Amino acid sequence: MDRPHILLVEDEIHLARGICFNLEQEDYRVSHVESGEEALERLAYDRFALIILDVMLPGMDGFELCSKVREADTRVPVLMLTARSEEGDRITGLASGADDYLTKPFSLSEFLLRVKGMLRRSSWYLPEPIEEGYRFGENEVFLLSYRARTAQGEIDLTDLEVRMLMLLFQREGEAVSRSELLERVWGYANDVETRTLDNFIVRFRKYFEQEPGNPVYFQTVRGVGYRFSRR
Ligand code: CA
């Protein structure tokens, strides 16, 4: 399995070097950037198992960065580093979507334990490292590489599409309720417009069904949710 790739957003160079060194000693892969703007650039084309970000950054601060990260990805774990221990900061941090926070100065062992715990908790939603595609009809879906082969050609899948497909595949043949899909795919976000879910299904039918208006694989279970079936 690949080493977990961590993104560190920290402008204090000495601290950043120390953190990178210690994470690499633990066999994690680390990318370091010094600002929120650079972090967003990296996040546009790279996926990370964990994001560690400092609250006090030049330009965009850690809270703003965290909210932007959450807009794009509800599930990537975020550990926030704060120099201040005020309750207000902790609450702002958690409200902006951080999963956990650590007050500077922190001990190395506590930091590493926190990182390890967050990676373990988040790993349940990562796809199994199986190269083989998931086949149904004329389709083959590769959850690890975010690709699918369909009757219309090859397509790229988004992170949310992959999460949703993974859940439906795991529960093949069973009705999965709307609330479970919303919770497991979109995270705790309770303000997700529920039409979003239906739009995803509409998209899957366009990708994978011979007749999107008469679906075989992505079935509606009236009053409950959706069911994936290889028929
Ligand atoms: Ca800082």
Side-chain angles (χ1 to χ4, degrees), residues 47-62:
R47 279 170 51 78
F48 295 92
L50 173 68
I51 300 173
I52 301 171
L53 59 91
D54 186 31
V55 171
M56 301 292 283
L57 293 168
M60 179 190 307
D61 70 13

Side-chain angles (χ1 to χ4, degrees), residues 1 123-132 142-145 166 170:
M1 189 151 167
S123 63
W124 67 268
Y125 77 80
L126 295 175
E128 288 291 306
I130 298 167
E131 278 304 320
E132 208 175 303
F142 302 89
L143 293 173
L144 265 185
S145 51
M166 194 166 15
Q170 279 167 357

Side-chain angles (χ1 to χ4, degrees), residues 144-185:
L144 265 185
S145 51
Y146 291 69
R147 287 180 303 118
R149 232 177 265 139
T150 73
Q152 307 149 57
E154 191 143 322
I155 53 170
D156 289 318
L157 298 168
T158 67
D159 197 39
L160 286 169
E161 287 172 342
V162 163
R163 280 185 216 160
M164 187 149 165
L165 287 170
M166 194 166 15
L167 180 56
L168 289 168
F169 292 168
Q170 279 167 357
R171 303 275 294 277
E172 185 180 332
E174 287 174 41
V176 183
S177 70
R178 300 178 63 87
S179 59
E180 184 174 355
L181 281 163
L182 286 169
E183 192 194 321
R184 302 243 339 240
V185 177

Side-chain angles (χ1 to χ4, degrees), residues 41-172:
E41 277 172 35
R42 283 303 299 266
L43 287 163
Y45 63 85
D46 228 340
R47 279 170 51 78
F48 295 92
L50 173 68
I51 300 173
I52 301 171
L53 59 91
D54 186 31
V55 171
M56 301 292 283
L57 293 168
M60 179 190 307
D61 70 13
F63 300 132
E64 192 183 345
L65 172 60
C66 191
S67 306
K68 289 192 190 294
V69 166
R70 277 287 167 263
E71 281 168 24
D73 185 340
T74 57
R75 276 288 170 82
V76 60
V78 175
L79 174 62
M80 208 172 253
L81 306 179
T82 166
R84 298 169 292 185
S85 58
E86 283 102 48
E87 172 93 332
D89 267 11
R90 188 175 70 86
I91 292 169
T92 311
L94 297 176
S96 67
D99 300 284
D100 208 346
Y101 77 102
L102 211 50
T103 306
K104 292 176 179 177
F106 44 79
S107 78
L108 179 62
S109 54
E110 187 187 2
F111 171 74
L112 292 174
L113 271 178
R114 206 68 76 88
V115 166
K116 202 172 167 187
M118 291 181 79
L119 287 169
R120 193 180 46 234
R121 283 196 300 276
S122 70
S123 63
W124 67 268
Y125 77 80
L126 295 175
E128 288 291 306
I130 298 167
E131 278 304 320
E132 208 175 303
Y134 199 91
R135 290 166 187 272
F136 54 98
E138 291 178 79
N139 309 291
E140 190 165 13
V141 177
F142 302 89
L143 293 173
L144 265 185
S145 51
Y146 291 69
R147 287 180 303 118
R149 232 177 265 139
T150 73
Q152 307 149 57
E154 191 143 322
I155 53 170
D156 289 318
L157 298 168
T158 67
D159 197 39
L160 286 169
E161 287 172 342
V162 163
R163 280 185 216 160
M164 187 149 165
L165 287 170
M166 194 166 15
L167 180 56
L168 289 168
F169 292 168
Q170 279 167 357
R171 303 275 294 277
E172 185 180 332

